[in-house]
């Protein structure tokens, strides 16, 4: 229990598994007849606003109408007009709800859950059960930082973002195979980070102090940002950083939980991050945005305990466990508005530095107490080029090309006095896709049909060594995903829609131990 006080100013073989999922109208179904009789109907009224609790129905409608999202990649759109399962949270709403990390946000999403947490820097989330199959394989929930994905091969970790820097979070439930591609078969979370103020010098700050039951020390968190208009209304820079300390509350025993523990309140967590955003808008039609982000998490021992009441970790021997993660993420987005369409090119490079976790394993005779270590490093280059209509006409279209080249190294070591196992797996992928969605406004925009398609191809290799024995594999595969949608807007306050789509997950590399 936490009380807050805050102030603000290896792979022996590769399984060719392409898991597909289909969601229709927000509900999974195997029968089209059932789908038609259970068409999803959404009433966009104040009760569904993902923001402050409404004082009155009219007030909430006016406030909800100001929530604008860009998840359809066709420009800004009012939340209530988006005809599929979506939630949006403003930065102010996240602050007011005391949302400080991904696990807090997941609690606000229907059907979402945290399915695994090894340490502060390694969390896996699931939508409607997808993602609950364990840490092996690519992600089943897509994470996007602004316009490009966060993620590396054979890893499902969610980004440990500082929510102080978030302008808006958009949550898409159900397969997002056409616009967001691989890794989004369960849904996608899009994090929109804050831009600099282009007109005046501004500063922001936030600090909080809290306590956790069973911890001897307090938790504290500080964040700050400064925004500088280098050229007024043309060029702006925003710099931000944060430090988060969470006091440990878990006692550690060398053997069983008898007598005095070897360490008390041992699982301290320290998280740091730095971010810079440079925005250049030389004309009304052109914008260039550069972002650099570095984060690190350092936890003593793990978030896996023998007991939570009282909290303790047993059979650790003399091992001082840890979970350490550090990564850098660089991105660039260029937008240019022509008379009838918008060109967007988004590029990113993600570098996950060597890190991982270590823990003691006391298994008793004959093995005794050993040490388990898992870790690795990875990098990923992504580029997406797309065009989208931006006029007021009835025809709407978005299409683009996507490319990724990435690799991830996984290292495993298990060391007991009488037994030692070790292995490595290097997974490489070079994949590309082409995608498009088309819609047309009928009857003055009252009825809007949409169709979408994405074709994806991937060349993936896996190079493994297990206890000195090599094993390699290679796979070439492709997939086609689709989406159809029919939206009906009977009044300004109601949206009725039918949505059917597919998603996919890339091949799974089984790690050798």
């Amino acid at each position: 229990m936490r009380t807050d006080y805050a102030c603000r100013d290896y792979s022996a073989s590769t399984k060719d598994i392409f898991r597909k999922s289909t969601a229709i109208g927000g509900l999974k179904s195997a029968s089209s007849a059932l789908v038609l009789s259970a068409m999803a109907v959404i009433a966009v009224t104040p009760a569904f606003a993902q923001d402050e609790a409404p004082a009155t129905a009219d007030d909430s409608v006016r406030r909800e109408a100001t929530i604008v999202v860009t998840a359809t990649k066709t420009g800004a759109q009012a939340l209530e007009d988006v005809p599929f399962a979506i939630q949006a949270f403003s930065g102010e709403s996240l602050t007011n709800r005391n949302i400080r990390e991904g696990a807090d946000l997941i609690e606000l999403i229907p059907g979402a859950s945290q399915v695994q947490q090894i340490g502060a820097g390694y969390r896996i989330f699931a939508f409607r059960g997808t993602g609950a199959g364990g840490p092996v394989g690519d992600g089943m929930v897509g994470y996007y930082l602004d316009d490009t994905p966060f993620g590396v091969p054979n890893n499902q970790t969610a980004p440990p973002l500082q929510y102080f820097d978030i302008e808006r979070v958009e949550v898409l439930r159900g397969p997002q195979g056409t616009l967001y591609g691989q890794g989004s078969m369960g849904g996608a979370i899009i994090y929109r980070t804050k831009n600099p103020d282009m007109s005046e010098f501004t500063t922001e700050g936030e600090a909080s102090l809290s306590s956790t039951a069973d911890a001897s020390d307090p938790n504290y968190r500080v964040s700050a940002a400064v925004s500088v208009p280098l050229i007024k209304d043309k060029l702006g820079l925003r710099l931000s950083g944060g430090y988060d300390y969470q006091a440990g509350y878990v006692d550690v025993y060398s053997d069983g939980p008898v007598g005095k523990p070897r360490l008390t309140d041992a699982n301290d967590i320290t998280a740091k991050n730095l971010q810079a955003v440079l925005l250049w808008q030389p004309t009304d039609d052109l914008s260039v945005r550069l972002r650099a982000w570095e984060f690190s998490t350092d936890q003593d021992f793990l978030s896996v305990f023998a007991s939570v009441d009282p909290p303790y970790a047993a059979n650790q021997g003399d091992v001082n466990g840890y979970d350490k993660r550090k990564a850098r993420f660089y991105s660039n987005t260029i937008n240019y508005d022509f008379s009838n369409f918008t060109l967007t090119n988004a590029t990113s490079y993600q570098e996950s530095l060597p890190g991982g976790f270590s823990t003691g394993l006391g298994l008793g005779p004959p093995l005794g107490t050993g040490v388990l270590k898992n870790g690795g490093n990875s990098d990923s280059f992504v580029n997406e080029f797309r065009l989208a209509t931006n006029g007021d006409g009835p025809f709407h279209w978005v299409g683009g090309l996507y490319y990724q080249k990435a690799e991830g190294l996984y290292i495993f070591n298990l060391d007991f006095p009488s037994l030692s196992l070790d292995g490595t797996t290097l997974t490489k992928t070079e994949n590309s896709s082409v995608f498009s969605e088309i819609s047309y406004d009928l009857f003055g925009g009252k009825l809007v049909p949409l169709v979408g398609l994405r074709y994806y191809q991937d060349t993936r290799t896996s190079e493994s060594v297990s206890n000195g024995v090599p094993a390699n594999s290679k796979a070439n595969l492709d997939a086609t995903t689709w989406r159809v949608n029919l939206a009906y807007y009977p009044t300004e306050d109601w949206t009725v829609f039918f949505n059917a789509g597919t998603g996919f997950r890339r091949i799974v590399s089984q790690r050798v131990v």
Side-chain angles (χ1 to χ4, degrees), residues 94-299:
L94 294 172
T95 300
N96 292 338
R97 293 168 185 260
N98 197 29
I99 304 301
R100 58 185 293 178
E101 59 185 24
D104 299 332
L105 176 67
I106 288 298
E107 294 181 0
L108 303 180
I109 304 172
S113 62
Q114 177 174 288
V115 295
Q116 189 172 54
Q117 179 186 358
I118 294 175
Y122 195 100
R123 299 173 185 265
I124 298 176
F125 302 128
F127 285 2
R128 301 169 178 170
T130 58
V136 176
D138 290 4
M140 300 175 74
V141 174
Y143 304 101
Y144 273 70
L145 304 183
D146 298 306
D147 293 292
T148 55
F150 176 94
V152 293
N154 237 15
N155 192 296
Q156 301 185 41
T157 308
L161 289 168
Q162 174 180 266
Y163 281 59
F164 174 77
D165 287 320
I166 299 299
E167 180 69 29
R168 184 177 71 255
V169 179
E170 300 172 24
V171 181
L172 316 181
R173 301 195 303 277
Q176 306 296 324
T178 52
L179 291 184
Y180 293 94
Q182 64 84 18
S184 299
M185 63 180 292
I189 302 178
I190 307 165
Y191 303 92
R192 297 291 178 183
T193 55
K194 292 180 179 179
N195 282 325
D197 192 310
M198 303 293 281
S199 60
E200 60 182 355
F201 177 87
T202 62
T203 59
E204 297 178 68
E206 183 178 80
S208 69
L209 184 67
S210 64
S211 61
T212 302
D214 298 307
S216 301
D217 298 324
N219 312 311
Y220 57 88
R221 176 168 55 100
V222 293
S223 303
V226 58
S227 185
V228 183
L230 303 175
I231 302 175
K232 187 175 182 180
D233 299 327
K234 300 292 184 181
L235 183 65
L237 175 67
R238 185 179 189 272
L239 301 174
S240 61
Y243 183 93
D244 189 353
Y245 171 77
Q246 299 180 40
Y249 55 90
V250 172
D251 295 340
V252 176
Y253 292 85
S254 296
D255 299 306
V258 179
K260 185 178 180 180
R262 177 167 67 90
L263 297 170
T264 60
D265 298 341
N267 60 327
D268 293 358
I269 301 173
T270 301
K272 306 173 186 177
N273 78 90
L274 295 170
Q275 179 176 266
V277 177
L278 182 68
L279 180 60
W280 181 43
Q281 296 176 325
T283 69
D284 292 340
D285 297 325
L286 175 64
S287 69
V288 180
R289 187 180 193 266
L290 302 174
R291 176 176 178 263
W293 173 49
E294 179 179 288
F295 73 84
S296 65
T297 59
D298 191 343
Q299 177 173 340

Side-chain angles (χ1 to χ4, degrees), residues 14-28:
T14 300
K15 293 185 177 181
D16 292 344
I17 297 176
F18 237 12
R19 295 193 175 183
K20 277 197 173 184
S21 64
T22 304
I24 302 182
L27 301 173
K28 288 186 177 179

